[in-house]
Amino acid sequence: MIHKVDSVVIDPVSDDPIYNAKVLEDFFEKLKKNENQNNQKINIVHIGDSHIQSDLMTNEIRKKLQQNFGNGGRGLVFPYQLAKTNGSYNERFYSNRGWESYRNIYPEKNHPVGLCGIGLWRDTGGFAVELRVKDPAYKFNTIHIITPQNQNMFDLATSSQVNLIQSTEKKVITHKIKKGEAISTIADKYNISVSEIKRVNGLKSNNIRAGRMLKIPTNETKPKTIKSSEFVSLNIESDSFSHYYKSDKALEKIYLIPNKEASKYELNGIVLEKDTSGLIYNSIGVNGAKYSDYNKYPLFFEQLKALHPDLLVFSLGTNESYEKLEARDYIKHLREFISNIKAQNINVPIIVMTPPPSLLRRKPNTYIRDYTRELLETAKNDGFAVWDLYDELGGMDGIRGLKTQGLIGPDWVHYSKKGYEKQGNMFSAAFLKAYDNFKLRK
């Protein structure tokens, strides 16, 4: 296969659709072993920007790869709705209280911005967050809660119970106002004050009219049953990375509630797994993000270990191009990103996906072309693989065709649902082809 980058020809490589696929051999070996023994989970983590946050491309990849290697679960999810931004269609979050949020694209602050690139927090309890899975394929048996320094901030519940409290209340009778009757005479009749009648009936003055019914409280009492509802907390366990609950029954709904011992509540992510072995495809995306934004927050790299990645996929570069970052600096930020990951003893194969073609303020985005060329020239020396999405979509020469086919959006940067799904299908096909080539060589 020969890679072209707008007339720049990269050295011919093998017929692998993923450049420098040799670095993926250990991962492919693990896939092959699991195909035969089917006894473990394989974790892929895909990190990117707005092209990834919507989960349109990555959901397509997830479905395709799980068809081949088994469905180990939905993986990482985040309450994007509570952070007032877009997210995956596979699950929905609801809360009876508002939450504060902060993204890694903003100036660095002391906020709990971690694994998902968005920090979500509350300083008071009184909340219940409902997580509901919409796709029945992703009902889950295990849920992991990821918080800063793995603090125990949340409890979980699947149901609530009603508590009945027996009490008493004053008996109330009614009085129909007769013509010519004053509120003072009615008060004297029942031996209560005018102000009490006004309070019970919500009156602002002493004016009343005939025919109206008044509530009259008496000194007698009657029984009263007070109902209160509360969630029943589940028995949560913990490991080095999360607090989790494991259910024998597959669940489609669960509630996050305050841990009564906590004084603050900070959520970095939730991981949903099935009891079955197979592949989990986790996606992390932040609208507007760059490598340098992820690099600002050490908590991101610390918490990445909670996903136990076997393979990493990166999709960043579009926002760097909007800042007119030179290709050498783009590679510098990528190297810092990889170095931060390895500092956490995460030493797994990496596929860097080149940014897709786009326009930069309605003009050809030559920065994307330069990033693509630099990635392909750097890959072997730095030991990562590259999937050339830029070339697969035709580079700058093909961008008009993408518009004609309805694949790219009106801003000439973001893609349509159809466009992202096409990218997901193309990457899945390339990945499976590279895996087949590996098996043939073996």
Side-chain angles (χ1 to χ4, degrees):
M1 181 178 181
I2 297 178
H3 292 269
K4 292 184 179 180
V5 186
D6 285 8
S7 301
V8 178
V9 180
I10 306 302
D11 290 340
V13 294
S14 71
D15 65 343
D16 272 324
I18 296 177
Y19 180 70
N20 199 28
K22 181 178 176 60
V23 303
L24 306 177
E25 288 188 353
D26 286 347
F27 175 74
F28 285 159
E29 190 65 54
K30 185 175 287 188
L31 270 184
K32 185 169 177 287
K33 183 178 179 182
N34 203 49
E35 272 195 290
N36 296 330
Q37 298 179 0
N38 198 31
N39 62 353
Q40 63 178 327
K41 292 191 186 295
I42 305 292
N43 292 285
I44 301 177
V45 182
H46 195 147
I47 305 164
D49 47 31
S50 56
H51 297 310
I52 304 304
Q53 183 176 318
S54 65
D55 194 41
L56 294 171
M57 179 212 303
T58 43
N59 188 53
E60 201 67 20
I61 299 170
R62 183 180 300 116
K63 294 285 187 182
K64 290 290 189 296
L65 297 189
Q66 287 180 340
Q67 286 173 11
N68 284 269
F69 304 111
N71 178 357
R74 170 64 179 86
L76 180 66
V77 298
F78 186 77
Y80 293 102
Q81 294 95 336
L82 306 189
K84 298 180 175 59
T85 186
N86 64 304
S88 172
Y89 291 96
N90 281 328
E91 55 282 328
R92 281 290 178 267
F93 288 84
Y94 308 90
S95 179
N96 62 337
R97 297 286 187 273
W99 291 74
E100 294 185 73
S101 63
Y102 199 79
R103 300 185 206 176
N104 62 9
I105 63 171
Y106 301 136
E108 185 178 0
K109 287 188 178 180
N110 187 27
H111 290 319
V113 180
L115 183 58
C116 290
I118 305 176
L120 194 71
W121 72 92
R122 276 182 59 83
D123 293 329
T124 57
F127 62 85
V129 176
E130 178 187 300
L131 161 58
R132 184 185 294 269
V133 173
K134 294 178 68 178
D135 188 337
Y138 294 120
K139 287 184 178 182
F140 56 94
N141 297 91
T142 305
I143 174 171
H144 297 262
I145 304 171
I146 300 171
T147 59
Q149 291 76 52
N150 199 19
Q151 296 174 71
N152 191 11
M153 296 177 167
F154 299 91
D155 284 338
L156 291 167
T158 55
S159 62
S160 60
Q161 68 181 14
V162 176
N163 297 324
L164 301 178
I165 303 172
Q166 298 302 323
S167 182
T168 59
E169 64 181 355
K170 281 190 174 183
K171 187 176 181 180
V172 176
I173 61 174
T174 57
H175 174 89
K176 186 175 184 180
I177 303 170
K178 299 180 179 65
K179 189 175 181 180
E181 223 172 10
I183 193 170
S184 58
T185 59
I186 297 171
D188 289 341
K189 178 179 178 179
Y190 293 104
N191 195 29
I192 62 172
S193 67
V194 171
S195 62
E196 183 70 1
I197 292 178
K198 289 169 68 176
R199 185 188 66 80
V200 172
N201 291 276
L203 299 175
K204 294 183 178 179
S205 72
N206 291 349
N207 296 328
I208 57 175
R209 67 174 185 272
R212 177 175 175 175
M213 303 298 291
L214 289 177
K215 298 175 184 176
I216 308 294
T218 71
N219 290 325
E220 298 179 48
T221 60
K222 65 176 183 178
K224 180 183 180 182
T225 301
I226 300 173
K227 292 183 179 181
S228 68
S229 179
E230 66 177 10
F231 287 101
V232 181
S233 295
L234 300 168
N235 293 322
I236 296 180
E237 300 179 70
S238 65
D239 56 26
S240 302
F241 308 102
S242 68
H243 287 79
Y244 65 93
Y245 170 72
K246 188 172 178 60
S247 168
D248 293 331
K249 174 187 175 184
L251 304 173
E252 63 181 357
K253 183 174 70 172
I254 202 162
Y255 297 91
L256 275 74
I257 56 178
N259 181 301
K260 293 174 182 175
E261 303 299 319
S263 58
K264 60 181 180 178
Y265 309 91
E266 300 173 346
L267 183 64
N268 296 118
I270 295 169
V271 181
L272 305 178
E273 296 181 357
K274 300 169 75 76
D275 268 353
T276 54
S277 61
L279 186 139
I280 296 177
Y281 201 93
N282 305 278
S283 64
I284 300 168
V286 181
N287 295 341
K290 308 179 294 294
Y291 283 115
S292 58
D293 293 316
Y294 285 100
N295 286 334
K296 287 186 296 195
Y297 287 95
L299 185 60
F300 169 81
F301 300 98
E302 293 169 19
Q303 293 182 333
L304 190 57
K305 292 182 291 186
L307 300 180
H308 309 288
D310 298 298
L311 172 70
L312 295 169
V313 184
F314 304 156
S315 290
L316 290 153
T318 297
N319 297 300
E320 281 89 344
S321 74
Y322 260 71
E323 292 194 351
K324 298 184 177 180
L325 188 72
E326 295 296 333
R328 64 178 179 275
D329 293 318
Y330 170 79
I331 295 296
K332 178 183 175 183
H333 292 161
L334 166 62
R335 284 172 169 161
E336 182 183 349
F337 187 69
I338 293 173
S339 176
N340 287 333
I341 291 172
K342 290 185 175 180
Q344 297 296 326
N345 291 319
I346 303 173
N347 296 295
V348 299
I350 294 168
I351 301 174
V352 180
M353 190 181 291
T354 68
S358 64
L359 296 186
L360 180 59
R361 297 178 179 88
R362 301 285 168 169
K363 295 181 180 178
N365 191 338
T366 57
Y367 290 92
I368 296 292
R369 177 201 64 196
D370 294 344
Y371 297 167
T372 298
R373 177 174 54 196
E374 200 72 25
L375 284 169
L376 290 166
E377 290 178 348
T378 306
K380 283 195 173 181
N381 182 66
D382 284 32
F384 57 78
V386 176
W387 184 59
D388 193 351
L389 176 59
Y390 180 81
D391 182 60
E392 292 288 346
L393 291 175
M396 289 311 305
D397 293 337
I399 197 164
R400 298 289 169 184
L402 297 173
K403 186 71 171 178
T404 303
Q405 297 171 64
L407 299 177
I408 197 168
D411 64 358
W412 295 88
V413 176
H414 296 94
Y415 283 67
S416 64
K417 182 175 184 289
K418 178 182 174 184
Y420 283 123
E421 288 175 348
K422 179 179 176 65
Q423 292 177 32
N425 280 314
M426 291 167 68
F427 177 75
S428 301
F431 182 91
L432 293 170
K433 172 66 174 171
Y435 178 56
D436 286 343
N437 287 348
F438 162 78
K439 289 193 292 185
L440 286 172
R441 287 194 295 270
K442 288 291 180 179

